[in-house]
Amino acid sequence: MELSVFNDASKDKSMAIIEKWKVKLEDSGILVVIGGHDSPSPRGVGYSKNQAIAQSSGSYLCFLDSDDVMMPQRVRLQLEAAVRHPTSIIGCRVRREPPNSTERYTRWINQLAPGQLLTQVFTSNGPTVVMPTWFCSRAWFSHVGPFDEGGQGVPEDLLLFYNHLRKGGGVRRVDQSLLLYRYHPSAATHSVLECGPRFLTIVLLLTFGDSRPVVAFCDVDENKIKKGFYCYEDSQEKPKPRVPILHFRAARPPFVICVKLDLTGGAFEDNLRSLHLQEGQDFLHFS
């Protein structure tokens, strides 16, 4: 086993702590590789992860953020899964700290069924196995990586996760709580620019295959309706494509309906299950 640590210009006592642990770990037979820089400002999460990977030599990669804690059996259990599924990202269940923070999100992480690890990849929650739990082979990471190094505001894990899926990668989860996943308001996750709707637009374009298949987005948000359109900023077209945003009462079928679940203590889900769609009804429902 090898521990690869990259210090992204931290100004605290991180290096002193790491050096102290280096002696203890290497006395136990664990190689410790330390890299970093002391520039005036950090280069970002994506850059640091890529550097930590580049300076390491293991055949498998087990990711751990500096503020989280992994359980002793994590490496063994995820390695067993990765050997069985060499082109998959392996995740695990988590225990949140503090316990009552992000309750809905934590339930989503831990309770997705195996099939939902693929069917719910385009929600606003991000990857269906959270990045601090990732475990995969170095060979597969080299095929789908590296992480985007755009810096603060760039969802480097989500971008790599989508590229992994595009290249046929699988998603698996060890159904044991192998990570203490700490929550704090200053976490880098909260600086990420939202990219879910933009990717959903791409998915719709690819799915329906026409040149302009998305006629409009429907919403109940008055501010979005007043703006009147969604602009696909990543398009190479000039001018950039704009998709109208309409009030839902103005919508005409066929529809793609996206619903955020687990907000009503199960009442909405019970109502949803009670619906019986008539044969031939002209819309598609995604949950």
Side-chain angles (χ1 to χ4, degrees), residues 20-39:
K20 183 176 70 173
W21 275 99
K22 177 180 170 69
V23 175
K24 294 181 179 180
L25 291 169
E26 292 192 336
D27 285 347
S28 300
I30 298 174
L31 177 65
V32 178
V33 182
I34 300 173
H37 64 95
D38 56 2
S39 302

Side-chain angles (χ1 to χ4, degrees), residues 79-276:
L79 175 60
E80 291 172 357
V83 170
R84 292 194 303 270
H85 307 285
T87 61
S88 288
I89 289 177
I90 312 297
C92 65
R93 288 179 172 167
V94 302
R95 179 163 58 90
R96 201 63 153 146
E97 179 66 35
N100 296 325
S101 58
T102 66
E103 290 181 89
R104 179 173 175 270
Y105 178 52
T106 304
R107 282 197 301 273
W108 183 82
I109 294 170
N110 289 333
Q111 295 179 10
L112 287 175
Q116 291 177 312
L117 295 176
L118 285 177
T119 60
Q120 295 209 14
V121 296
F122 303 128
T123 72
S124 60
N125 287 329
T128 48
V129 287
V130 292
M131 197 278 151
T133 73
W134 285 8
F135 192 109
C136 66
S137 74
R138 175 184 293 271
W140 183 251
F141 177 85
S142 298
H143 180 61
V144 302
F147 288 103
D148 188 287
E149 297 185 1
Q152 186 173 9
V154 175
E156 81 294 330
D157 55 345
L158 185 62
L159 295 175
L160 187 138
F161 188 69
Y162 284 155
N163 197 45
H164 160 78
L165 295 174
R166 290 188 194 101
K167 294 190 174 184
V171 186
R172 306 277 175 167
R173 186 186 66 212
V174 174
D175 283 335
Q176 293 189 37
S177 181
L178 304 178
L179 185 82
L180 179 67
Y181 188 24
R182 288 201 173 111
Y183 170 82
H184 49 91
S186 60
T189 301
H190 305 303
S191 68
V192 168
L193 301 172
E194 185 176 349
C195 68
R198 182 167 63 222
F199 197 83
L200 178 60
T201 306
I202 299 170
V203 171
L204 293 173
L205 292 171
L206 294 176
T207 301
F208 293 104
D210 299 326
S211 58
R212 305 190 68 83
V214 181
V215 177
F217 288 129
C218 303
D219 215 304
V220 295
D221 187 317
E222 291 185 2
N223 291 328
K224 293 179 182 177
I225 295 169
K226 285 179 181 177
K227 181 180 178 181
F229 64 89
Y230 165 77
C231 182
Y232 177 31
E233 298 290 351
D234 283 359
S235 173
Q236 300 302 310
E237 295 181 37
K238 293 183 179 181
K240 296 184 183 299
R242 292 185 175 187
V243 180
I245 298 177
L246 307 176
H247 192 280
F248 71 93
R249 290 193 180 93
R252 297 292 179 268
F255 307 124
V256 174
I257 303 177
C258 302
V259 180
K260 182 179 284 189
L261 302 178
D262 195 19
L263 291 172
T264 60
F268 176 81
E269 288 82 353
D270 288 342
N271 286 338
L272 196 62
R273 281 189 287 270
S274 70
L275 294 176
H276 297 281

